[in-house]
Each structure stands twice: as structure tokens, then as C-alpha cells.
Amino acid sequence: MHFRKILQQIKISRCKPFTSFSIGKYNYYKASGILPTKTFNKPSNSKLLKNEIIQSHSSKNTFEELAADSSIFSMIISKDEWFYGVLYPNLIAENYEESIISDLQNSYSIEDLFEVLDKHKKPLNYDEACQAIYSLSNIKHLRQLKFKNSLMHIKHNRHFFSVVCSYPKFYDILEIIKDKSSLERLCPLMMCLDNIGVDLNHNLMIDLHLKVLKSISDLDILSLIRLSFVFIGRSIVSYYTQVNIFNEVYKKIDFDELSVTNLLFLSVLYNNMHRIISLEEKHQYVHYVQTFLDEKRFSDSDITNLLIILNTFNKLFVHSAPVYTCKNVMKLFINKIDHLTPHQLSLLSSTYLNVLEPRCLLPKLQEAASSYINDSDNFSLKTDLLLCLSFNARFKKKKEYEYLAAEIVNIPYECQDASSLFKALRFLKISNYELCNKFWSNSIENIKSRLAECEETIGFREGILRLFYAKYIYFNNNIRGRVRIFEIEQEMISLLQSEIKGSVKHIPSKIAHMISFLIAYSKGNELSEEWYELLEKDKAQLRYFDIRFLSRGLEVQLHNNVHNKKGAQLLSKFKSLLDYCTEDILKDNVSLREVMSLTTGYLIREGSPSAALFQKLSDAHLKYLDEIISVNITQILRNFSNAKFMNPEVFEAISDYIISNQEDVSSTVVHQVLSSFFILGYIPKRNEFVDACQTVVNAEREVMSCKTLLHCCLALAFLRGLTTDLIHYIFCVEFLDQIEEEMEYINSLKYSNSVRSLLMRLNRSVCLDYPEEKIPWFHEKYCQDMVEMKPKVPTAFMKEVASVLSSILGNEKYIFLNTKSPYYNYIDLEFAVGKDGIPLSLLRNSRLENGTKTSPSDFSDIRRFAVLVRSKNCYTENDHTLFGPFQMQRRHLEMQGYYVIEILERDFYSMAVATEKDKQILLKKLIMREVVNKEYR
């Protein structure tokens, strides 16, 4: 049975608490490798004064007392860290002065603690045994705080338990606890034992677990919250226990009069048990938070509580966060950024990157991150702050961040903690070979060391390998081939080939991801039929992320081995298999993110937009228009732009979202929307869309790159939405100097040519569409140089149209190919006729190539026709809408007095106009229609 279906059954069965289970399932599910095992968390950067802070929390045994101290959750805020040491009781006996409990509490090392136990001649009682366990847990926690990186942290965790187990007295303590255990001590003991490193499969933990289940209804809320930390993603048995905990907490919380304290602890519970929370309960939780926001029940001192809520959102909604509520919570931090610790700032920035709203928060986050990043030695924290700085970074800052990344990569780290650094490298688009080589070399060495120590569990080795290859295959420069480390690729291929032959081949998702890497970086003649057979056998269990990953492998292989004839047939079989799986998944209830991933996968494996499957993928978007948020918009539009496919319903939903959230959406999102609409030639129905885009561009123009701003302005010109203020901001000496500085700094010929072309096109548009602004045309020399460097060669299509046209006009001398209008709009074919309709033999470009501003009055004595031949690359696949640049070309030529005739390739070569005579009739109709329309206008 698929794992997702197992979880669905668990959620359904929550109405009946589980009171017993089969202990044998522990070992079965651990050996199966189906469920993730709990990994050690990264150390907090909080500074605790030995046991004093923990002792200060030990006497707080109620919700109100515990929540009253704002520092109680200080370490919960660390990224992905829900450390529960502050919830441990420390003082367990009233008359502890007369026993060894006081000495145990004051022990700050394992050696000191067991030395105290050895000096004590009397047998330990239950309270003293419990205190020994509590103190060991505190010692471990306090020692963790000194570690600067997670690699040292994990090594300490592994070493700590082995040192504790080397003392025989430890086993005597476990026997005492096993023989006698009281209800009030069950949960704290399980927390401490779990923190020390005692596995849930240990006999003692199983006994304690059974006792908890039998008396779970008698536990108070605090004990249940403590217990929830023990069972975080361990096994199916852990899920059963979570169900019981969840039901009991729900019974004890008054939801009709929910307090901030109860909401906080509900957040902790949801965070720990996010795998079993139903969609209805998630939405109910969002409703509670939004109600508190509307009623302004969060005070200025609730920073920690708000961060816990955001962290809970991140866990409950991995890819579809409730944007409206999330951004309302984040807006409360706008004036409180200076009060956040580095760890709190890290959590807030990671939440922002998941939502990309509100835009006013990002500059403040980056300002704070820049002040913290040099003061921290913690690898995870440093990379999280670098990730925050790298997002949307200005070109001047990117080089500085690249140097910072080079420093960070030299800090020892575990491969699983490199995700933020990897994302930062992608944001910065780094092509520094030495830096990239260092990053990947460190990663592969970490993998090897982990493999040498890993458990013999199905899928565990693959999980370690995935920490490397899942990142490498998505590294931004792999496709372009600018940075590739071939030795490391071959080393990983060797490791995966040996792993794929083991027992992991029975887990479809894992085998799919490994095969994806093998397909991507194997030579064409090394592709194996066995890989296809493994996938084909379990194709029904492949999910959307498996298909997306496999498609990425095919994309890399197709790019790296363009002329691979030997493997072409096998690659075609892989494509057909993935197409089948895609169509099969679309039959189920999916989400917008799944549809997006399936669409992206289909396109990158070179699927045809004209195929029926792509139409189904396009239609599937319509069911989930209410799930459109900023983080989805970019990928949706990129897919449709790459496919040259028009989907008006989706585009209108996106434009509505921009209008409704114009105060919060970022310029990155608006840039993608404007660029895509311009490319595809889509004009939104609501006029408010242009106003919303103007608002965002004007607000962000100071921080946008020159190229991005020019893109946005050109798209706004297409939509007739340029403002006077924006026009004069672009066409001024300061901005032109900024362009020159940016091109010089980036030092890329391709980038410079792109920026110059955009500026020329915008200059032309402003001169023609906004003559009242009196912006001069200053690209004459540039255009002349470009004509000389890249002369336009007539295509076969143009020559054939010219031949038919010359038959109509009576002589080919009347037709000119590849002429240019004022402001250098290219015209494929040009001819002129007098008022009497007789063709005129004009000197070639006599009035058109001198660069003067020609007005319609200059054509009063003649009719000049501009014939534009449109190949299939000029319009969308499905509804044949002309792309935006070509629509703008036609508009500008008409403004200059031309009669514009457009001939579509699909019409010219259709079966209806197969003969020469039919083609002549077609051209005559187009000419007459244009004459009638223009003169009527």
C-alpha cells in the first residue's frame, strides 16, 4: 500500500483512540525503511547559563506558568529545531538536600555525574534514578550549545550515547526506572531518554510507551505536549501514538474561548504532528490565527509566539502556505526586525521565501541579515542568512556574496545542512569553478563518511546519497555546461549503480530518483534497458515529484548528448512511460503544485505543446485557480511561455491576483507576469492590471536591475501603460550611466547586447507611442551597426510570397525585400501603389532609410504596403495569437502610415491554397481587406 494512503487511513481513524499495538511492528517498519527516521537537530545559538535557565523553568507545571515566560520557546525558533530541553523538570524531590539529587543537578559532565553515583553507597531510589536521567539530558543539551556547525554536533550526539553506555551504572538506572514508574514522570522520562539517545525500540522505552497509552486520558496538556516531541516521524506505531495524543489535547482545549496560550501550544502540537493533520484541521488552524489577527489579540511582546505560528505554517503547508494570513503575520514584524535574534531572522526569511509577500519586508530582512552574518560562526545560520541576502540581490552585491560563500564553504558541515548554501549559489548564478568544485567535493566527502557509518536499513543509504545527487542534478549551471565536475559525476554514478542492485530497488520513489541521475550523466551508449524495466514494473506508484525528477534527468541527457543515436530509442521509451504516468496522475485529485510540476516535467523532456496531453495539463490548471499565489505564478507563466500556449482563464486569474495584492507582490513576480504577457501577446481584460503593475514597478524601480526594469517598461509600453514619470526616469543621464556601470560590472557580451536591444526597442516605442514626451531617438548609429553586423537574409517563405506578389503586381521590380522603416522596424516585403492603384517603382528605401521621423502625411500621395510574413514561431500554438513584439511591430508600422499585410505560414501552406492561383487570391483578399479597414478607420 502506498505510504500516502496509509497516512490517509490514519487520519480517518483518529475518531477512535488507539490503546494498544503490536510491538513487532517497531522492527518491521524500521527495517522496511518506509518511514523517515528522526535526525539530530542543529544546535541552538542561544546562550544559556548552565542549568540555571532549565531550573528556572522546572517549577512551571501549568500552561499559564510555562507560557508566561517568553524565553520558554527561545530554542523552538531555531530553523527546523523543536528542542524540548526547556520543558524538562529538573527538581523532583522536596527534600532533595538530604539525598544526592542536589549533587546530580550540579553535575556538568558525564564523568562528574557517574562519579557522584559511585560515591553514593546506598541503592538509588526512583526519584534519584529519574534525576540522573534528567541531568544527563541537561548535560547533553548544554554541551551542544558550544558547537559551531552541525557536523561537530552530530558527531557529539553519536559519541555522547556511547560514552553513557560505557558506564555499567547507567543500566542499573534503567532497571530502576523500568521496575517503578509513576504517571507524572512518564512523559518527562521518555523525553529525556529520547534526547540521550535511547531508541524507541529499547525494552524500557517500549514499556514506558505502553504505560503512556494505557493512561493517556489521565495526562494533563503539558505532559501530552511533552510526549508529542518524542514521537516525531518515527514509525507507524509513532503515528498511532500521535493520534491518541492529538485526540486527548483536543478534548482538553476549549476552542470556543481559545486563548493566546492555547493557540501557542496548539501550534507546537501541530508542528510536531503535521503528518497526521487533516486539510480541514489545517484550515481551521489558519482561521484561528486570522481571527486573532483581526481582533488584534497579539501584543508587541508576542514575537516568539508569532514565529512559532509561522514555523507551524511552514510545516503544515509545505508548498501552499495560506498567503493572506502568512503575510498579515509577517507584517507585524516590519517594525520589529531589529529585535529579532539571528535564528529568529533566519526563520522569518525562510517563511518569506516560501510566500514572497509582503515585498516591504524583504529590504528590512536583508539589512538585518547583512549585520548579523559576519558575527555568526554557525554554518547553518550563516548559510540561511546568505540565502536571504542572495535573493533578488543587486549586481553590485553578488560579487561580495560570492566571496562570502567561498568563506562559508570551508566551514565543516554535513551534506544535509548544505541546502541553504546550495540555493544561495543558484540565486547568485555562480560560475566560479574553484568555489563550485570545493562545494561539491566537500559534499561527496561528507556522503562517503556517512555511508561508512550508516545503518543497514532499506533505503537509508539511498537517502544519504540523495543529499548529494538531488542537488547536483538541479545545479543551475549543469544544463549550460559552464560548471561540471566530471570526476564527481562518475563517482556518484558508480555508487548509485551498486546501490540500485540492492534491496532499495523495491521502493519505487527511491529507484526513480537514482535512475534519473544515471540517465542524466551516463554516456549515450551506457544507458541501460534494466533501468526502464525497473520503472515500468512499479509505474503505478510513481508520484508527481518522481516524474519531475526523471524528466530533469532526461533534459540533462538530451542536452549533453545531442547526437546520441544509440540511446535515442531508449530515451523515447522513457518519455512514453512518463507521459503515461502523467496522464494517470491527472485522473486523481491533485493540487496546483502537482499540475505545475507535471507540466514542467513534460516540457523539459521535450514534450510537444500541440499534443493532447499538454491540453489536458493546461485544462487541469483551471480546477485550482484559487490556489494561485506569488510563488506559483512564476513557474506557471514560464511553462506557458516556453510552450507558446495561450490559456486566457489562467492568465485572467493571475492578473486578478496582481490587482488584489498590488501592495504586497514583489517586482520579481510582476516582471515575470509582464514579460510572459508581452511574449504571448496577451492583453488582460481589466484596465486595473496596468495600474497595479505601474504601482509595483514604481515602488521597486530603485532596487530592480536595469535589464529587469527595461523588460517591465517595454511590456507596459505594449499595454500602453507607461507613465510620464517612468519614461523620464529611464531616459535620463543617471539611468543611462547606471546601465553602463551594470554592463561593465557583469562584463558579459550577451548581457550587454540584450540590454542595449531592450533600450533601443523601448526608445522606439516611446518615440512612436508617446511623442508628447519629446524623448529623442538616439539609436540611429546603433541600428546601423547592427544591420551591418547581422544583415537579414530572405527566407524561402519570404521568397515564395515575393514570387506570388510579383505575379499580382506584374513585375518583381515593384517589390523590395528586407527594408526598414523609420526607427528601424524590419519589413519583410514592401511595395507601393498610387491613388489610382497602379504599382509604383520607387527608389529602394528612398524615404525610409534616412532615419527621419516619417508621419502619415508623408504618404498622402501613395499607399505604402508592408508585407510581414509570419512563420509558426510568431504566434501561439493553440489559438494562433500573434506574439506581443510582432503586435507592437504592426502597431508602429500602422502609426507611420503603412498598410500592413500579415501572411501566416499556416494559411499560406494550407490545403485550401495549394495552387499558385489560390495563393494569389489569398494575397489579393488580404490587401483589399487592409485597404478597406485602414481607409475606413
Side-chain angles (χ1 to χ4, degrees):
M1 184 182 296
H2 195 274
F3 180 54
R4 187 169 68 171
K5 294 181 179 178
I6 294 175
L7 292 187
Q8 288 174 348
Q9 289 186 1
I10 292 176
K11 292 176 183 179
I12 293 171
S13 62
R14 279 222 309 265
C15 56
K16 298 180 180 179
F18 293 91
T19 56
S20 63
F21 58 86
S22 171
I23 296 178
K25 289 183 179 179
Y26 269 115
N27 294 324
Y28 170 76
Y29 283 106
K30 182 182 178 184
S32 69
I34 292 176
L35 297 177
T37 56
K38 181 181 177 183
T39 57
F40 293 100
N41 295 317
K42 297 184 281 295
S44 171
N45 201 35
S46 305
K47 296 181 179 179
L48 300 181
L49 300 175
K50 295 189 177 182
N51 272 15
E52 294 179 7
I53 291 182
I54 293 180
Q55 289 175 357
S56 70
H57 297 308
S58 61
S59 60
K60 297 177 174 64
N61 293 318
T62 66
F63 257 178
E64 288 70 21
E65 292 175 335
L66 204 57
D69 190 341
S70 62
S71 66
I72 187 69
F73 292 105
S74 61
M75 292 188 294
I76 289 180
I77 303 309
S78 298
K79 182 173 180 287
D80 291 334
E81 181 180 349
W82 290 85
F83 189 80
Y84 39 84
V86 291
L87 296 177
Y88 297 166
N90 197 43
L91 307 177
I92 65 171
E94 294 181 1
N95 300 318
Y96 63 89
E97 293 87 352
E98 301 176 0
S99 67
I100 64 167
I101 289 181
S102 178
D103 294 333
L104 291 174
Q105 291 170 348
N106 294 322
S107 299
Y108 302 121
S109 70
I110 301 173
E111 294 77 10
D112 290 346
L113 185 138
F114 282 103
E115 185 178 346
V116 170
L117 294 175
D118 289 337
K119 290 179 180 179
H120 186 66
K121 302 302 181 182
K122 298 179 182 180
L124 294 178
N125 59 34
Y126 180 67
D127 286 346
E128 293 166 342
C130 289
Q131 183 60 58
I133 296 298
Y134 295 157
S135 296
L136 277 174
S137 181
N138 293 340
I139 290 169
K140 180 183 177 182
H141 169 57
L142 294 172
R143 288 181 63 182
Q144 286 175 165
L145 300 180
K146 68 180 181 180
F147 297 125
K148 297 179 180 179
N149 61 74
S150 59
L151 182 60
M152 295 171 62
H153 180 194
I154 291 177
K155 288 181 177 178
H156 164 69
N157 282 335
R158 295 170 184 166
H159 180 67
F160 185 90
F161 187 57
S162 62
V163 172
V164 171
C165 291
S166 66
Y167 289 90
K169 201 76 173 178
F170 178 66
Y171 298 97
D172 296 338
I173 295 172
L174 296 184
E175 286 298 323
I176 296 171
I177 293 173
K178 182 179 180 181
D179 294 338
K180 181 184 177 182
S181 58
S182 60
L183 181 60
E184 66 271 14
R185 303 279 171 77
L186 281 175
C187 297
L189 275 174
M190 291 192 74
M191 290 180 67
C192 292
L193 290 168
D194 180 68
N195 186 45
I196 292 169
V198 180
D199 194 87
L200 278 176
N201 293 328
H202 191 281
N203 291 335
L204 172 61
M205 293 294 276
I206 292 175
D207 288 345
L208 295 177
H209 191 179
L210 286 170
K211 292 176 181 177
V212 164
L213 288 177
K214 291 179 181 178
S215 56
I216 195 168
S217 59
D218 299 326
L219 298 176
D220 58 17
I221 296 181
L222 179 56
S223 297
L224 292 168
I225 294 295
R226 285 171 170 165
L227 192 62
S228 71
F229 283 99
V230 181
F231 300 96
I232 300 179
R234 292 298 185 103
S235 64
I236 290 295
V237 177
S238 297
Y239 287 111
Y240 290 156
T241 308
Q242 289 181 17
V243 169
N244 287 271
I245 295 171
F246 192 93
N247 287 336
E248 290 301 323
V249 171
Y250 254 60
K251 291 177 184 177
K252 293 176 170 60
I253 290 182
D254 185 2
F255 288 95
D256 294 331
E257 297 182 5
L258 192 64
S259 64
V260 175
T261 302
N262 284 347
L263 179 65
L264 174 63
F265 281 91
L266 191 64
S267 302
V268 175
L269 184 72
Y270 275 27
N271 190 294
N272 291 345
M273 300 184 175
H274 60 92
R275 292 183 181 88
I276 68 167
I277 306 300
S278 68
L279 185 62
E280 181 182 355
E281 288 158 348
K282 291 178 183 180
H283 291 160
Q284 188 62 43
Y285 175 75
V286 174
H287 172 71
Y288 292 146
V289 175
Q290 187 59 50
T291 301
F292 275 56
L293 290 169
D294 295 339
E295 297 176 358
K296 298 182 179 180
R297 295 178 62 181
F298 293 116
S299 63
D300 292 338
S301 61
D302 282 335
I303 290 180
T304 303
N305 299 353
L306 294 172
L307 286 169
I308 292 175
I309 289 171
L310 288 178
N311 203 9
T312 305
F313 281 155
N314 290 341
K315 286 291 183 68
L316 293 180
F317 306 92
V318 180
H319 299 299
S320 57
V323 174
Y324 181 75
T325 304
C326 257
K327 69 183 181 185
N328 284 341
V329 173
M330 287 191 285
K331 283 179 180 179
L332 298 177
F333 289 94
I334 291 176
N335 298 320
K336 302 176 185 178
I337 297 293
D338 296 338
H339 302 295
L340 299 180
T341 66
H343 278 295
Q344 292 173 335
L345 183 70
S346 169
L347 173 62
L348 187 59
S349 66
S350 66
T351 305
Y352 176 84
L353 293 177
N354 289 337
V355 179
L356 298 183
E357 296 180 32
R359 67 169 180 267
C360 56
L361 185 63
L362 182 61
K364 295 180 179 293
L365 287 173
Q366 291 180 330
E367 182 181 357
S370 62
S371 63
Y372 282 135
I373 194 166
N374 292 321
D375 299 333
S376 173
D377 293 325
N378 184 295
F379 174 83
S380 299
L381 178 58
K382 212 173 182 71
T383 54
D384 288 343
L385 296 177
L386 177 63
L387 177 60
C388 175
L389 292 170
S390 302
F391 180 75
N392 243 5
R394 293 297 302 271
F395 69 96
K396 290 183 179 180
K397 291 288 185 180
K398 285 187 176 181
K399 190 65 70 175
E400 177 185 336
Y401 298 152
E402 184 175 331
Y403 292 140
L404 188 56
E407 294 177 7
I408 294 175
V409 81
N410 290 316
I411 302 175
Y413 61 90
E414 279 279 293
C415 194
Q416 70 231 33
D417 298 318
S419 295
S420 294
L421 179 57
F422 168 73
K423 292 176 183 177
L425 293 177
R426 292 195 70 191
F427 281 150
L428 296 173
K429 297 183 179 178
I430 288 176
S431 297
N432 183 330
Y433 181 82
E434 293 182 2
L435 172 57
C436 294
N437 187 47
K438 181 71 173 176
F439 174 75
W440 294 117
S441 299
N442 287 351
S443 298
I444 197 70
E445 289 304 318
N446 287 337
I447 292 297
K448 290 179 181 177
S449 63
R450 288 286 304 276
L451 289 175
E453 303 172 3
C454 74
E455 305 173 13
E456 292 298 328
T457 305
I458 297 177
F460 192 76
R461 286 176 59 87
E462 186 276 336
I464 295 174
L465 292 172
R466 187 183 298 195
L467 296 173
F468 176 89
Y469 74 76
K471 294 184 179 71
Y472 188 87
I473 200 172
Y474 275 102
F475 192 53
N476 57 286
N477 289 328
N478 278 359
I479 288 295
R480 301 189 183 279
R482 293 189 294 176
V483 176
R484 285 185 61 190
I485 300 92
F486 294 95
E487 299 82 359
I488 291 180
E489 288 176 12
Q490 294 305 313
E491 197 167 357
M492 181 54 63
I493 286 174
S494 178
L495 288 170
L496 291 177
Q497 284 177 336
S498 60
E499 186 67 21
I500 207 172
K501 297 175 183 177
S503 56
V504 73
K505 66 183 179 182
H506 300 298
I507 306 177
S509 181
K510 292 183 179 295
I511 204 71
H513 288 218
M514 290 193 293
I515 288 175
S516 175
F517 189 91
L518 294 174
I519 292 174
Y521 299 109
S522 296
K523 295 179 181 178
N525 56 359
E526 295 175 354
L527 298 176
S528 172
E529 187 80 30
E530 181 185 354
W531 302 343
Y532 173 79
E533 293 172 357
L534 286 171
L535 290 175
E536 207 279 335
K537 181 182 63 174
D538 295 317
K539 61 185 178 183
Q541 297 191 55
L542 296 180
R543 306 311 302 161
Y544 76 95
F545 46 84
D546 303 324
I547 294 172
R548 176 69 176 84
F549 207 81
L550 282 164
S551 299
R552 176 68 172 185
L554 289 171
E555 179 189 20
V556 177
Q557 172 63 221
L558 291 168
H559 181 273
N560 293 339
N561 299 283
V562 179
H563 304 294
N564 174 23
K565 295 182 180 179
K566 293 183 179 180
Q569 187 175 358
L570 184 56
L571 291 176
S572 179
K573 292 176 68 174
F574 278 115
K575 289 181 184 179
S576 299
L577 176 64
L578 296 181
D579 288 349
Y580 170 83
C581 294
T582 299
E583 196 161 1
D584 190 52
I585 291 175
L586 287 177
K587 297 175 183 177
D588 300 332
N589 289 325
V590 294
S591 64
L592 180 60
R593 179 172 179 80
E594 292 178 55
V595 174
M596 285 165 44
S597 295
L598 292 172
T599 306
T600 303
Y602 178 78
L603 292 173
I604 65 175
R605 62 177 182 264
E606 299 185 355
S608 172
S610 60
L613 178 55
F614 189 81
Q615 184 64 54
K616 291 180 181 179
L617 287 166
S618 176
D619 294 341
H621 286 77
L622 305 181
K623 303 177 185 177
Y624 311 104
L625 296 181
D626 57 331
E627 296 181 27
I628 287 178
I629 56 177
S630 287
V631 290
N632 294 338
I633 288 174
T634 299
Q635 191 58 54
I636 291 172
L637 291 176
R638 189 176 291 134
N639 286 339
F640 284 112
S641 297
N642 293 339
K644 301 176 183 177
F645 200 91
M646 186 72 76
N647 193 327
E649 293 85 354
V650 174
F651 296 166
E652 277 304 309
I654 290 174
S655 64
D656 290 343
Y657 185 87
I658 298 295
I659 294 169
S660 303
N661 298 274
Q662 57 184 290
E663 298 300 326
D664 297 317
V665 294
S666 68
S667 58
T668 306
V669 176
V670 169
H671 168 237
Q672 182 64 55
V673 174
L674 286 172
S675 298
S676 298
F677 286 1
F678 177 50
I679 290 170
L680 295 174
Y682 180 75
I683 301 177
K685 296 178 181 178
R686 296 178 62 183
N687 295 330
E688 297 94 326
F689 171 77
V690 174
D691 298 334
C693 292
Q694 289 172 352
T695 300
V696 177
V697 172
N698 281 318
E700 296 269 275
R701 67 189 186 187
E702 298 290 343
V703 297
M704 296 167 69
S705 70
C706 296
K707 184 177 180 179
T708 301
L709 183 55
L710 289 173
H711 258 136
C712 291
C713 289
L714 189 59
L716 285 172
F718 165 69
L719 298 172
R720 300 180 184 272
L722 274 179
T723 61
T724 298
D725 181 50
L726 199 52
I727 290 173
H728 288 280
Y729 178 83
I730 296 291
F731 295 101
C732 68
V733 177
E734 290 79 5
F735 185 77
L736 297 180
D737 289 342
Q738 187 179 332
I739 291 177
E740 291 291 339
E741 182 183 0
E742 186 170 311
M743 290 191 298
E744 182 180 353
Y745 186 86
I746 295 177
N747 194 24
S748 167
L749 181 61
K750 182 178 179 181
Y751 185 87
S752 298
N753 290 339
S754 175
V755 172
R756 290 183 186 278
S757 176
L758 284 170
L759 184 61
M760 183 275 291
R761 292 160 65 191
L762 183 61
N763 187 197
R764 176 171 62 204
S765 179
V766 170
C767 288
L768 290 170
D769 293 323
Y770 301 92
E772 67 277 5
E773 301 299 338
K774 298 184 177 3
I775 300 298
W777 167 249
F778 55 90
H779 279 88
E780 185 72 22
K781 183 66 169 62
Y782 168 79
C783 292
Q784 290 174 357
D785 293 342
M786 293 304 296
V787 169
E788 292 179 5
M789 289 175 58
K790 298 179 180 179
K792 193 172 181 182
V793 180
T795 64
F797 182 24
M798 288 172 56
K799 291 178 180 178
E800 192 166 350
V801 172
S803 175
V804 176
L805 196 57
S806 63
S807 300
I808 296 174
L809 298 176
N811 197 319
E812 63 181 11
K813 70 178 182 180
Y814 299 121
I815 302 170
F816 300 101
L817 275 68
N818 290 330
T819 63
K820 295 165 285 297
S821 75
Y823 305 108
Y824 283 83
N825 261 314
Y826 276 99
I827 301 173
D828 297 323
L829 302 167
E830 183 183 354
F831 67 93
V833 297
K835 288 186 176 181
D836 54 3
I838 299 175
L840 300 177
S841 178
L842 299 175
L843 292 175
R844 180 180 176 83
N845 301 329
S846 58
R847 277 194 280 178
L848 300 181
E849 284 193 290
N850 57 14
T852 58
K853 299 179 183 178
T854 307
S855 64
S857 61
D858 297 330
F859 298 98
S860 57
D861 55 335
I862 60 174
R863 295 173 179 158
R864 296 198 96 144
F865 290 84
V867 180
L868 307 177
V869 296
R870 304 302 193 190
S871 67
K872 61 181 181 181
N873 296 322
C874 297
Y875 44 81
T876 55
E877 284 279 349
N878 53 332
D879 65 353
H880 308 294
T881 299
L882 200 64
F883 291 156
F886 301 118
Q887 291 186 37
M888 184 176 278
Q889 177 193 20
R890 177 185 180 117
R891 186 174 81 199
H892 288 165
L893 289 174
E894 288 177 342
M895 291 174 67
Q896 292 177 298
Y898 285 93
Y899 292 76
V900 181
I901 314 297
E902 288 182 312
I903 303 174
L904 303 185
E905 185 178 12
R906 67 184 182 90
D907 294 335
F908 194 77
Y909 290 112
S910 67
M911 295 179 66
V913 289
T915 66
E916 181 79 11
K917 184 176 181 180
D918 293 333
K919 296 183 188 301
Q920 291 180 12
I921 294 172
L922 173 65
L923 288 183
K924 289 179 180 179
K925 285 182 179 179
L926 292 174
I927 293 171
M928 289 304 299
R929 184 172 63 188
E930 177 61 21
V931 170
V932 172
N933 288 342
K934 187 173 181 66
E935 295 186 354
Y936 176 77
R937 292 196 298 267

